[in-house]
Amino acid sequence: MAGGGKREARSRFERIYALLRSRICLLDYPPGMRLREEDLAEEFATSRTPVRRVLARLEDEGFLRSVHGVGTIVTDIDIDSLQQVYQLRVELAELVGKLSPVRPDAARLEEFRALLDRCDRLKGEPDAREFARINMDFFHLLMTLTANEPLREFSERLYYQTTRIWLKTAARLTRYEDMLQAEIRFFRHEVADIVAAIESGELETVGHIRRSHVAMSFARLYAEAHPQSP
Amino acid sequence: MAGGGKREARSRFERIYALLRSRICLLDYPPGMRLREEDLAEEFATSRTPVRRVLARLEDEGFLRSVHGVGTIVTDIDIDSLQQVYQLRVELAELVGKLSPVRPDAARLEEFRALLDRCDRLKGEPDAREFARINMDFFHLLMTLTANEPLREFSERLYYQTTRIWLKTAARLTRYEDMLQAEIRFFRHEVADIVAAIESGELETVGHIRRSHVAMSFARLYAEAHPQSP
DNA sequence: GTGCGGTCATTTGTACACAACATCATGCAC
DNA sequence: GTGCATGATGTTGTGTACAAATGACCGCAC
């Protein structure tokens, strides 16, 4: 076996899937947008069939909704309907570091530290999109701290479902520069805390830190959407 | 709109999906079995296309594995690889009753109580398949105790992935009658405990009870597969 | 007898044509 | 002018033919 045929087909599927999901989560495909299977097929130089395979999965995961005769529509999100998702995300965050914890090696640890530099650079030139990307890389690094496959899979699902709401909320604010700056500071603090916890080998502490930060992040978003009454 | 066209297509998809998943979990389709898309298409009086949509989802969820040129194969399972799945299942079990708890109404409560009768009847005529079915009904009833949609979805995924191992282990034992009787007793005890907790309004306690029973169930299975050394 | 190569049957993956369905514009009746 | 029927247009869902890939079988050389 030359080792390429079938694996190539599979990797292509994963590539298209990851790309489309990324576009949805970065709001390149904003909620409500209609995707055309034929356009996507043309972009990836294939027919509708493999594209439909990807769209079906994204629909199963709640990112899309295909309606016969109408189109494939990016699902809408709002902070209220995501409350349950966040509640579960908070719980799962704590489980990372508790179930099948994996101590990172030197190289992995260096990747964590590199995020601190990226945060600092971002502070000089704030950009919501770049922030979202760093946040995503950080998340994936965190997932390497547990070997529990189902936990990783579910956490990833919840993460991608909730990450859109941040960019959407930020885009709505008239002066979102302040919020962005503040969020970047919060985030850098979280990364620093977690790096410290990792360095002292307290993987379970990582889970607790992460849990509280996810919860607080949601609280801030929620407050932003629901101006408090006296 | 006469209200039937598209919804019918969707309900058909769900029906086929639930049926195939059920067959896999009840070992009607045992691990390693090869399914033929064309056969399934014929059974459901349709073409391969809708069947492939269902198989793709079952593959995404880890029940099947399609191999080009070979067939669609029911995935194998073993107690060791399911350890992580069980660990997460235990944690999620506790969250039911904690996240968005829903107090059951009188009718729902009656359904719980009815399970006790089914258990008692089962004691008189032990049957692994019927036991698995009661267990499944009980699980679905438990899911009505939380309104957290993602939690329900994930719990369901983990439940179906782990339920197969029980029947598989039981089928292997030479004298599985004893084990079955014992398991039925354990299970009836669990149902009774949980009914009592529900009646006193302690939904969070339900989660704790469930957690410990799932954990102990796994421990028994694990011990069965790994004869203890002194 | 054994190992190797090729041929064939079988099955999933892909491409494409067509059906089902929803939406919007158009025009006609009143 | 308004309301409704009707057709045009566009999109996803389904059926089907064909390509790609795998494994089994057979025959042949040695």
Side-chain angles (χ1 to χ4, degrees):
Chain A
M1 180 202 303
K6 193 193 162 288
R7 278 165 108 169
E8 204 165 278
R10 185 142 209 95
S11 83
R12 181 183 68 168
F13 168 81
E14 294 292 345
R15 194 170 50 84
I16 297 177
Y17 166 77
L19 183 57
L20 293 189
R21 187 180 63 172
S22 167
R23 285 178 181 170
I24 292 172
C25 293
L26 292 176
L27 302 191
D28 294 329
Y29 295 160
M33 179 175 177
R34 254 183 38 225
L35 304 181
R36 289 188 357 102
E37 296 179 350
E38 214 154 340
D39 289 348
L40 294 171
E42 190 182 7
E43 175 180 353
F44 299 113
T46 180
S47 76
R48 280 177 57 207
T49 310
V51 170
R52 283 178 61 77
R53 173 78 173 81
V54 173
L55 295 184
R57 178 157 168 183
L58 287 169
E59 183 176 5
D60 287 338
E61 295 179 347
F63 295 108
L64 299 175
R65 182 159 160 263
S66 288
V67 183
H68 192 174
V70 178
T72 302
I73 294 143
V74 178
T75 54
D76 198 4
I77 48 172
D78 64 276
I79 191 72
D80 293 304
S81 66
L82 250 61
Q83 194 156 11
Q84 295 184 343
V85 180
Y86 259 103
Q87 281 174 355
L88 183 55
R89 227 196 110 185
V90 164
E91 302 289 343
L92 293 194
E94 191 172 342
L95 293 180
V96 176
K98 187 177 169 190
L99 303 188
S100 308
V102 174
R103 182 155 310 192
D105 55 16
R108 197 43 54 72
L109 189 55
E110 197 47 49
E111 291 185 68
F112 273 99
R113 289 209 195 86
L115 282 179
L116 290 173
D117 295 337
R118 287 178 70 187
C119 282
D120 293 333
R121 254 170 294 165
L122 186 61
K123 273 184 188 170
E125 195 176 356
D127 174 58
R129 223 184 135 80
E130 175 64 8
F131 176 53
R133 213 173 275 120
I134 296 180
N135 201 300
M136 201 174 286
D137 289 342
F138 178 58
F139 169 79
H140 282 120
L141 270 178
L142 278 177
M143 285 303 104
T144 66
L145 297 182
T146 180
N148 191 303
E149 240 316 288
L151 176 59
R152 288 162 67 155
E153 183 190 336
F154 289 161
S155 297
E156 192 172 317
R157 279 270 300 274
L158 297 180
Y159 173 80
Y160 279 100
Q161 278 174 7
T162 53
T163 193
R164 289 194 288 165
I165 196 72
W166 194 92
L167 280 171
K168 191 187 170 191
T169 303
R172 279 188 171 182
L173 296 181
T174 47
R175 288 185 55 235
Y176 85 112
E177 294 284 340
D178 294 343
M179 180 200 183
L180 182 55
Q181 275 286 2
E183 288 293 330
I184 292 175
R185 273 200 304 275
F186 279 124
F187 177 66
R188 196 200 180 283
H189 207 89
E190 178 184 357
V191 177
D193 285 352
I194 285 184
V195 166
I198 293 176
E199 282 175 340
S200 55
E202 296 284 343
L203 285 188
E204 229 173 304
T205 303
V206 172
H208 287 89
I209 297 171
R210 177 69 175 167
R211 178 198 171 106
S212 65
H213 276 276
V214 171
M216 290 189 293
S217 168
F218 173 73
R220 290 195 297 272
L221 278 180
Y222 193 83
E224 201 76 59
H226 298 78
Q228 61 187 3
S229 55
Chain B
M1 180 199 304
K6 193 193 164 286
R7 277 166 109 169
E8 205 166 279
R10 186 142 207 93
S11 84
R12 180 182 69 167
F13 168 81
E14 294 292 346
R15 195 170 48 82
I16 297 177
Y17 166 77
L19 182 57
L20 292 189
R21 188 179 63 172
S22 167
R23 285 179 182 170
I24 292 172
C25 293
L26 292 176
L27 301 191
D28 294 330
Y29 295 158
M33 179 173 178
R34 255 182 36 224
L35 305 181
R36 290 190 353 106
E37 297 178 350
E38 216 155 339
D39 289 348
L40 294 171
E42 190 182 8
E43 175 179 354
F44 300 114
T46 180
S47 75
R48 281 176 56 207
T49 310
V51 170
R52 282 178 60 78
R53 172 79 171 80
V54 173
L55 296 183
R57 179 158 169 182
L58 288 168
E59 184 176 5
D60 286 338
E61 294 178 348
F63 294 108
L64 299 174
R65 183 160 159 263
S66 288
V67 183
H68 192 175
V70 178
T72 303
I73 295 144
V74 178
T75 54
D76 198 3
I77 47 174
D78 64 275
I79 191 71
D80 294 304
S81 66
L82 251 62
Q83 194 156 11
Q84 295 183 342
V85 179
Y86 259 104
Q87 281 176 354
L88 183 55
R89 228 195 109 185
V90 164
E91 302 290 342
L92 293 193
E94 190 172 342
L95 294 180
V96 177
K98 186 178 170 191
L99 302 188
S100 309
V102 175
R103 182 157 309 192
D105 56 16
R108 193 50 48 73
L109 189 54
E110 198 46 49
E111 290 186 69
F112 274 99
R113 289 208 196 87
L115 282 178
L116 290 172
D117 294 337
R118 288 178 69 186
C119 282
D120 292 335
R121 254 170 295 166
L122 185 62
K123 273 183 186 170
E125 194 175 355
D127 175 57
R129 224 184 133 80
E130 174 66 7
F131 177 52
R133 214 173 273 121
I134 296 180
N135 201 299
M136 202 173 287
D137 290 342
F138 177 59
F139 169 79
H140 283 122
L141 271 177
L142 278 177
M143 285 302 104
T144 67
L145 298 183
T146 180
N148 192 304
E149 240 319 285
L151 176 59
R152 287 162 68 155
E153 183 192 335
F154 289 159
S155 296
E156 192 173 317
R157 277 271 301 272
L158 297 180
Y159 174 80
Y160 278 101
Q161 279 176 7
T162 54
T163 194
R164 289 194 287 166
I165 196 72
W166 195 93
L167 280 171
K168 191 186 169 192
T169 304
R172 279 187 173 183
L173 295 181
T174 47
R175 287 185 55 235
Y176 85 113
E177 295 283 340
D178 295 342
M179 179 200 184
L180 181 55
Q181 277 285 3
E183 288 294 328
I184 293 175
R185 271 199 305 275
F186 279 125
F187 177 66
R188 197 200 180 283
H189 207 89
E190 177 184 358
V191 177
D193 286 352
I194 283 183
V195 166
I198 292 176
E199 283 174 341
S200 55
E202 297 282 344
L203 286 187
E204 230 174 305
T205 304
V206 172
H208 288 89
I209 297 171
R210 177 68 174 166
R211 178 197 171 106
S212 65
H213 275 276
V214 172
M216 287 190 295
S217 168
F218 172 73
R220 289 195 297 273
L221 278 180
Y222 193 84
E224 201 74 61
H226 298 78
Q228 61 186 3
S229 54

